[in-house]
Amino acid sequence: MGRKTVRTLGTTIGVMLASFGASVVVATVTAAPAQAAQVATSTLQTQLVTYTNNTRVRAGCKAIRVDSRLLRAARGHSAYQARTGKMSHVGAGGSTFIQRGVRAGYAHPKSENVAYGYRSASETMKGWMRSPGHRANIVDCKAKTFAVGVVYAGNGTPYYTQMFG
């Protein structure tokens, strides 16, 4: 309820009670704007898979499947970024996306997109599509598989890693 509605309701109740001889104290409490609740990482990941494949199909590419090895590498890199509070293509120990993918068991990782701070999958996808390099990775018709890993930092900031193979 808005402040005006609460005040009007409080005044109406006060007048009604006063007409019956009751004394009334009306308090109006106005809540601070609520912060958006965190979206589950699995939901963000699933939505980004759908958005990515829809974008690929519109660009004339085939939809591609999620690879569990790339998912492990992507989530691991997102966790590293969330832990350090730094968005970067350089990972733990100076690792590259190729090294992280190979370490996860994927022989030929192709590319990587990273992002942080976006509160929804839609915002993240729009951000990637505004970037020529990220867009190129998404609509690269030579990609055969991919995965998206999302991890929240302790302060609630989401970190995203999208890997293609």
Side-chain angles (χ1 to χ4, degrees):
M1 274 188 244
R3 284 183 177 170
K4 186 174 182 179
T5 304
V6 171
R7 281 193 197 117
T8 302
L9 183 60
T11 302
T12 303
I13 291 170
V15 169
M16 288 171 57
L17 290 173
S19 66
F20 291 106
S23 87
V24 119
V25 175
V26 177
T28 302
V29 178
T30 304
Q35 288 188 332
Q38 283 187 351
V39 177
T41 57
S42 60
T43 299
L44 292 169
Q45 290 171 182
T46 300
Q47 289 173 339
L48 281 165
V49 165
T50 300
Y51 294 156
T52 298
N53 273 326
N54 289 345
T55 299
R56 288 177 56 79
V57 168
R58 281 194 306 273
C61 300
K62 291 182 179 180
I64 53 180
R65 66 179 177 77
V66 171
D67 184 275
S68 62
R69 297 162 296 180
L70 291 176
L71 177 59
R72 193 169 39 256
R75 284 192 54 79
H77 186 55
S78 289
Y80 170 76
Q81 293 176 99
R83 191 171 51 256
T84 61
K86 296 179 183 170
M87 183 190 78
S88 175
H89 289 286
V90 178
S95 67
T96 66
F97 75 90
I98 294 172
Q99 292 168 322
R100 292 188 296 275
V102 168
R103 202 171 325 157
Y106 195 89
H108 301 289
K110 192 166 188 34
S111 59
E112 175 183 75
N113 291 339
V114 295
Y116 81 104
Y118 294 107
R119 295 293 171 188
S120 71
S122 175
E123 289 175 12
T124 306
M125 191 68 183
K126 287 175 186 172
W128 279 336
M129 293 307 289
R130 282 191 297 266
S131 162
H134 293 103
R135 173 190 281 274
N137 291 340
I138 291 168
V139 298
D140 179 356
C141 294
K142 293 178 184 173
K144 303 294 180 212
T145 59
F146 80 121
V148 180
V150 182
V151 174
Y152 284 102
N155 67 3
T157 302
Y159 284 81
Y160 302 83
T161 303
Q162 183 179 54
M163 292 183 71
F164 293 90

